[in-house]
Amino acid sequence: MTSHQASQSKPARSAPQRRGSIRGRQGLAGWLFIAPIILILGLFLVIPVLMAAWVSVSDWTGRGSPFSGSVNFVGTENYSTILGGEGLIGRDFGTSIRNNFYYVVLVVPLQTALSLFLAVMVNRQILKGRGFFRTAFYFPSVTSSVAITVLWLFLFSATGVVNKVLSFFAIEGPNWFQDPRGVLHILLGVVGLDQAPDALQDPAFLGISGWEWLAGPSVAMTAFVLMAIFTTSGTFMLLFIAALQNVSGEVQEAAMMDGATGWQRFRRVTLPMLRPTLFTVLTLGLIGTWQVFDQIYTGTQGGPAKTTLTPAYLSFNSAFVDQQWGVGAAIAFVLFAIIVVLTLVQRWALRERDVPRRRRMVPAGVSGGSSAAAAPGIAAPKDEKRDTH
Amino acid sequence: MSTATAPAPEATSRRRPVSPARRRATRGAWITYGILIALAIIYIFPFLVQVATSFKTEPEAAQDPLSLIPQNWTVAAYEGLFANSDFPLWGLNSFIVTVFITLGRVFFDSLAGYALARIPFRGRGLVFALLVAVMAVPGVVLLIPKFLVINQLGIYDSYTGMILPLLADAAGVFIMKNFFESIPVSVEEQARIDGAGTFRTFWSVVLPMARPAVMTIVILSFQGSWNELNHFIISTQDPSLTTLTKGVAQLASGALSQGTQYPLKLAAAALMTVPVAIVFFVFQKRIMNASAGAVKE
């Protein structure tokens, strides 16, 4: 770190207020300061991604270097195996996409709604003990996913807490984590439809049949859904609370003068002002829910009957357990593509539909709060900040 | 960052002295309390059950999962963990890894944050844009890629392989950058006039002023690396390098057990939560603000 001894090199462009003699040294110092982070990120992020890209189009078996002469280029073979629904791995991939799809569809709206609800409730000025409630709701978010999964395995076991509580209502709970029945199949069974109709028997998409696509999340998966809501609602609640602090009291008061009821005020005044945060929460939710891994690894390893298999876990398992590195890497890239595409779609949907109508009511800067596709965590905040002025 | 004190919009309803409205507000408050208390019980109860069950015998855990007071107190589960498993070793590994990751992150994050906030250099904008992009890459997608590089570098199954890749933490860089931007430039100018170099100015003048931000990084990185699982799965295989998360995950999937052994598993999960819980309750305000701030600032 002897940056100050460095020779005077080219002057930095942007720093009018600094004195000339310092500029050159500073340029070098800047690079030296940032070098460790750049090196580590390059070494453990950029290079790995390039290597994995190569592995995903090769037949590497995990022995020796992936760049040795015995490793062959196989083109898109790995991708077509998983996307074409070929063989066991193709069907497993289709199953994992179905499982994760239902997980996302349930978790994202529920966790967003619950965290917003908690934030609005906890944010009331008249409320005593706000700190206590916030702590209670947030604590699950700081504990490790492994510890929570262990706890969940107990709560939802056959003789666990949940079934005990259900028994008070004369409901006989399932053996949650052992139950592969799809929730939609169970519901269809209630109306007498418990066999696949002929039309839905053949492989429809990604190697699994229409009937299988219609299974819904398995009973085991719904336990994971509840767990995700339990652990993430606290974090997102904090984001919403931070945003609620910025909704000005005057606007609320004006709406009240105009005779708006509490619900109308929330729907027409508060909610539009929360749009940037809502966008952030939905994006983070989408990104997070497509990456379920820890829970599956700790809890069910994809069982029962593969109904909790997720792409992230399948990718790990194909590579590290089955030694099918090419397939594993290909799954990882497909998963990445899914996340990127969904984030873009969601960004587009939220912006196109609502903004022109809302712009009138929202202070400048808030409505454009969707420059965040690349980095939801960073870009959205700028908009919020402008909002506070 | 004013999550705790700023007045909420609902406060306005109190200023209206009209009595029916007031009565309605009071009733609303009671409903609010009712719902919040019910929800708080749902959020807290599982943890109470967890601790209670860890002191129960196995048959009692199955028969009476709801009770918070064990009928026959027993510390058999904890004895089992310390006498018949590698639990202490896992704890030591988690501790070592967490300490080094935290120290490294504080140093590298503040260096990089300072450079991005204060040192004008060519390419700064590009570096910043790259960091933003990097934050968007989902971690789980990187499992295989990271293993490939760790393996090629020959640091598989070593503390280096466990620690080094986790040292780069883009979120921490942003927290430090934001903080440094809030310190007046005049502070550094004084130092510079006295002849201090850039590193000297950073190390002896600006960094000591950044204690609040440094604390935030310490807490977040402690929490993050203590709870980290998937990186340790892919960077090690040697049982002597197993961390708590990895060890307890194996325990959960039945590595050590014949039966269900819920008291044992729950004791392990409870113990691994203790350090995080202590940090959480001591630094509650800062953690809650930081979590909101990580996105908000």
Side-chain angles (χ1 to χ4, degrees):
Chain A
M1 295 301 145
T2 51
S3 52
H4 45 285
Q5 297 165 359
S7 64
Q8 287 160 291
S9 55
K10 288 167 259 170
R13 234 185 277 147
S14 57
Q17 81 273 37
R18 311 235 186 246
R19 256 145 304 163
S21 63
I22 296 170
R23 276 188 204 161
R25 294 174 189 173
Q26 282 208 324
L28 191 68
W31 277 107
L32 282 176
F33 274 38
I34 207 133
I37 291 277
I38 299 266
L39 261 176
I40 297 171
L41 284 180
L43 207 51
F44 295 105
L45 202 109
V46 181
I47 294 177
V49 168
L50 297 178
M51 275 178 86
W54 159 247
V55 168
S56 79
V57 292
S58 79
D59 62 357
W60 188 52
T61 53
R63 271 185 294 275
S65 161
F67 301 111
S68 75
S70 59
V71 178
N72 300 309
F73 175 75
V74 297
T76 55
E77 197 178 287
N78 293 319
Y79 289 92
S80 58
T81 305
I82 56 169
L83 292 175
E86 289 166 37
L88 182 63
I89 189 72
R91 281 199 305 281
D92 280 356
F93 180 72
T95 311
S96 73
I97 292 286
R98 179 204 62 188
N99 298 338
N100 214 335
F101 168 78
Y102 283 113
Y103 181 84
V104 173
V105 164
L106 286 175
V107 172
V108 173
L110 287 175
Q111 77 187 6
T112 308
L114 178 62
S115 53
L116 177 57
F117 176 76
L118 291 177
V120 171
M121 294 290 264
V122 166
N123 200 42
R124 295 200 175 173
Q125 190 62 40
I126 34 167
L127 193 74
K128 288 202 179 67
R130 288 192 293 167
F132 164 76
F133 288 118
R134 254 191 252 185
T135 306
F137 299 143
Y138 187 56
F139 184 67
S141 310
V142 298
T143 49
S144 90
S145 49
V146 172
I148 298 262
T149 309
V150 171
L151 175 55
W152 228 247
L153 290 173
F154 171 67
L155 294 180
F156 284 80
S157 66
T159 57
V161 170
V162 174
N163 282 355
K164 190 83 176 177
V165 171
L166 286 176
S167 73
F168 295 152
F169 304 97
I171 299 170
E172 200 189 327
N175 190 353
W176 295 83
F177 283 108
Q178 308 295 328
D179 197 332
R181 287 177 299 159
V183 170
L184 283 178
H185 276 183
I186 294 176
L187 291 177
L188 289 171
V190 172
V191 295
L193 198 68
D194 48 11
Q195 284 296 319
D198 289 344
L200 292 176
Q201 249 157 3
D202 295 326
F205 179 55
L206 294 178
I208 65 172
S209 71
W211 180 245
E212 283 303 312
W213 278 103
L214 273 182
S218 68
V219 174
M221 193 52 123
T222 54
F224 281 125
V225 167
L226 293 171
M227 182 172 127
I229 297 166
F230 177 72
T231 49
T232 53
S233 48
T235 315
F236 292 143
M237 171 192 75
L238 291 187
L239 299 190
F240 279 125
I241 289 177
L244 281 171
Q245 311 279 336
N246 290 338
V247 177
S248 89
E250 285 117 68
V251 181
Q252 292 280 344
E253 215 158 327
M256 257 167 72
M257 297 294 240
D258 290 345
T261 64
W263 172 249
Q264 281 172 331
R265 260 180 292 141
F266 177 75
R267 176 76 188 74
R268 298 292 170 84
V269 181
T270 312
L271 208 52
M273 293 180 98
L274 291 179
R275 280 188 90 256
T277 313
L278 203 58
F279 173 78
T280 307
V281 168
L282 286 171
T283 307
L284 290 176
L286 269 180
I287 292 172
T289 46
W290 274 105
Q291 292 194 64
V292 206
F293 177 83
D294 291 14
Q295 301 87 315
I296 311 297
Y297 177 87
T298 310
T300 55
Q301 278 93 38
K306 299 191 172 163
T307 59
T308 60
L309 200 61
T310 63
Y313 185 76
L314 185 65
S315 158
F316 163 81
N317 209 50
S318 315
F320 289 88
V321 180
D322 298 339
Q323 299 294 313
Q324 298 206 36
W325 290 85
V327 170
I331 294 174
F333 279 108
V334 173
L335 181 58
F336 189 24
I338 291 175
I339 293 173
V340 171
V341 168
L342 280 180
T343 309
L344 292 177
V345 165
Q346 182 240 21
R347 172 189 175 191
W348 170 83
L350 261 174
R351 175 194 269 167
E352 292 304 307
R353 201 152 15 88
D354 288 335
V355 168
R357 192 156 46 87
R358 291 275 156 72
R359 187 162 276 153
R360 278 167 280 150
M361 309 176 67
V362 182
V366 177
S367 53
S370 3
S371 51
I378 328 299
K382 278 190 211 134
D383 301 309
E384 271 172 54
K385 208 164 191 176
R386 258 182 274 151
D387 175 23
T388 59
H389 296 316
Chain B
M1 304 298 289
S2 54
T3 49
T5 47
E10 269 75 8
T12 48
S13 61
R14 274 217 297 192
R15 283 186 219 146
R16 246 135 276 282
V18 198
S19 77
R22 224 222 168 116
R23 216 177 302 135
R24 222 180 304 132
T26 330
R27 188 150 43 92
W30 281 113
I31 295 170
T32 307
Y33 276 120
I35 296 172
L36 281 177
I37 288 169
L39 280 168
I41 290 173
I42 294 175
Y43 275 80
I44 297 170
F45 191 69
F47 295 104
L48 300 179
V49 166
Q50 177 181 24
V51 173
T53 309
S54 71
F55 289 105
K56 289 176 185 171
T57 60
E58 234 178 286
E60 197 190 335
Q63 262 161 33
D64 196 4
L66 268 180
S67 79
L68 293 181
I69 299 159
Q71 279 174 338
N72 305 304
W73 285 85
T74 169
V75 290
Y78 293 91
E79 270 172 15
L81 274 183
F82 282 94
N84 306 324
S85 83
D86 286 335
F87 194 85
L89 174 72
W90 302 341
L92 180 69
N93 282 331
S94 279
F95 180 76
I96 293 172
V97 168
T98 302
V99 166
F100 281 101
I101 291 175
T102 305
L103 287 177
R105 278 195 187 174
V106 166
F107 185 63
F108 293 136
D109 288 356
S110 50
L111 268 182
Y114 183 72
L116 287 174
R118 280 301 165 77
I119 309 179
F121 62 93
R122 212 175 272 229
R124 186 166 81 162
L126 182 71
V127 169
F128 186 74
L130 279 177
L131 282 176
V132 171
V134 157
M135 280 187 80
V137 179
V140 161
V141 172
L142 289 168
L143 286 182
I144 297 174
K146 268 206 272 184
F147 165 78
L148 293 174
V149 164
I150 289 172
N151 209 20
Q152 288 285 296
L153 290 176
I155 53 173
Y156 186 74
D157 258 344
S158 72
Y159 283 118
T160 317
M162 296 166 82
I163 294 166
L164 197 58
L166 292 182
L167 290 182
D169 159 45
V173 174
F174 289 116
I175 292 175
M176 293 311 295
K177 172 179 178 282
N178 278 331
F179 189 87
F180 287 130
E181 276 170 350
S182 72
I183 296 179
V185 186
S186 54
V187 173
E188 293 148 273
E189 268 163 5
Q190 298 270 306
R192 212 155 278 145
I193 289 164
D194 292 346
T198 310
F199 183 73
R200 188 71 205 261
T201 313
F202 160 74
W203 185 253
S204 341
V205 181
V206 191
L207 194 58
M209 292 175 74
R211 198 168 294 164
V214 166
M215 272 313 290
T216 306
I217 305 278
V218 168
I219 293 163
L220 290 180
S221 120
F222 174 84
Q223 216 178 294
S225 40
W226 188 266
N227 290 340
E228 175 69 41
L229 170 69
N230 53 42
H231 176 68
F232 300 140
I233 294 176
I234 58 116
S235 60
T236 61
Q237 188 175 39
D238 187 347
S240 68
L241 291 174
T242 301
T243 58
L244 274 176
T245 43
K246 207 177 148 186
V248 175
Q250 286 163 2
L251 205 65
S253 49
L256 190 104
S257 61
Q258 284 82 44
T260 50
Q261 293 203 319
Y262 283 122
L264 181 91
K265 292 173 184 170
L266 289 173
L271 280 182
M272 76 182 282
T273 310
V274 167
V276 190
I278 291 174
V279 170
F280 175 67
F281 285 110
V282 172
F283 299 103
Q284 227 186 95
K285 209 150 212 173
R286 196 181 287 281
I287 290 178
M288 301 235 247
N289 283 342
S291 309
V295 173
K296 220 203 130 235
E297 254 173 3

